[in-house]
Amino acid sequence: MPRSTSSHSRASQAPSSRGKGHTVRIIGGDWKRTPLPVLDLDGLRPTPDRVRQTLFNWLGQRLDGQRCLDLFAGSGALGFEAASRGAERVVMVERNARAARQLRENQARLAARAVEIAEADGLKLAASLAPRSFDVVFLDPPFGEGVLARALGLAIPLVADDGWLYVEAGEPLDGDDPLLAGWSIARRGKAGAVHYHLLQRENDE
């Protein structure tokens, strides 16, 4: 996977030399098999199909009525997948102007009324959101730039008491990390260089 050159977005400002773009495919739900155009930007790494399939199997396939947040939306693969599966509200945050514009175009193409696109710095926006306001938070920040720890610190308070936090990282999360105190890693997997994890709050009983 290419490494992002931006500290607050999965997409850098410069286009890749590999071409103008490609597509991602929605795996399930109302828009199943729908291809979505994705800009070919350095550092943009859409969550692979099989990883998304595994994640939404973990989450129970449907997200009807749930509120979702993707702080580093990039291609929008996770957010549009959540909306396709019935999420009531999906907030996608993307700092890169070109990537955000592509997200809005895909939102319009799908008439995705549950989706909100915020062209903003994910870390700054997270700091302004109300605690416990999302049922699922997707966290896929740039790898290897020190963003993950800050993103976790800001994202964890946003997850509802019975909600889920999904994290992609360049290395496996350490369940003993003080940042994850009070949380358990319910599921984990690896695809190429990507480690992916589904976390939930530990039961106090």
Side-chain angles (χ1 to χ4, degrees):
M1 294 287 180
R3 182 174 179 269
S4 171
T5 57
S6 166
S7 62
H8 301 298
S9 171
R10 290 203 302 255
S12 73
Q13 296 293 330
S16 167
S17 60
R18 292 173 295 171
K20 293 184 178 180
H22 54 288
T23 61
V24 294
R25 179 174 59 95
I26 294 176
I27 301 298
D30 299 337
W31 305 318
K32 185 176 181 180
R33 299 189 183 91
T34 301
L36 295 177
V38 177
L39 291 175
D40 201 357
L41 298 174
D42 287 334
L44 193 70
R45 32 180 190 81
T47 300
D49 288 4
R50 71 183 184 90
V51 174
R52 274 184 287 131
Q53 175 117 31
T54 298
L55 167 61
F56 285 92
N57 284 343
W58 291 346
L59 292 173
Q61 295 293 335
R62 295 292 303 181
L63 298 183
D64 295 284
Q66 298 197 37
R67 304 155 299 166
C68 303
L69 172 67
D70 186 351
L71 275 180
F72 302 87
S75 70
L78 291 171
F80 286 119
E81 190 77 46
S84 179
R85 294 168 185 264
E88 178 180 276
R89 183 189 185 203
V90 180
V91 179
M92 297 189 209
V93 187
E94 176 52 52
R95 184 182 186 184
N96 181 277
R98 293 183 63 204
R101 183 167 59 250
Q102 182 71 80
L103 291 174
R104 289 191 291 267
E105 290 173 1
N106 286 336
Q107 175 191 26
R109 182 177 293 108
L110 293 169
R113 291 183 293 274
V115 171
E116 303 169 28
I117 310 296
E119 187 176 329
D121 181 300
L123 298 179
K124 291 180 180 178
L125 188 140
S128 72
L129 295 173
R132 306 294 203 271
S133 53
F134 293 94
D135 301 296
V136 183
V137 173
F138 302 110
L139 201 59
D140 182 12
F143 290 176
E145 298 182 14
V147 180
L148 180 59
R150 284 183 290 157
L152 277 169
L154 290 165
I156 281 174
L158 303 179
V159 184
D161 288 338
D162 58 350
W164 298 96
L165 176 62
Y166 172 73
V167 181
E168 289 187 21
E171 298 180 354
L173 294 183
D174 180 357
D176 294 326
D177 188 322
L179 271 173
L180 300 180
W183 287 75
S184 62
I185 300 174
R187 301 288 185 94
R188 66 167 75 226
K190 184 175 184 294
V194 177
H195 295 263
Y196 54 101
H197 318 74
L198 189 63
L199 293 80
Q200 63 182 160
R201 282 191 172 83
E202 294 176 346
N203 193 325
D204 292 333
E205 296 179 359

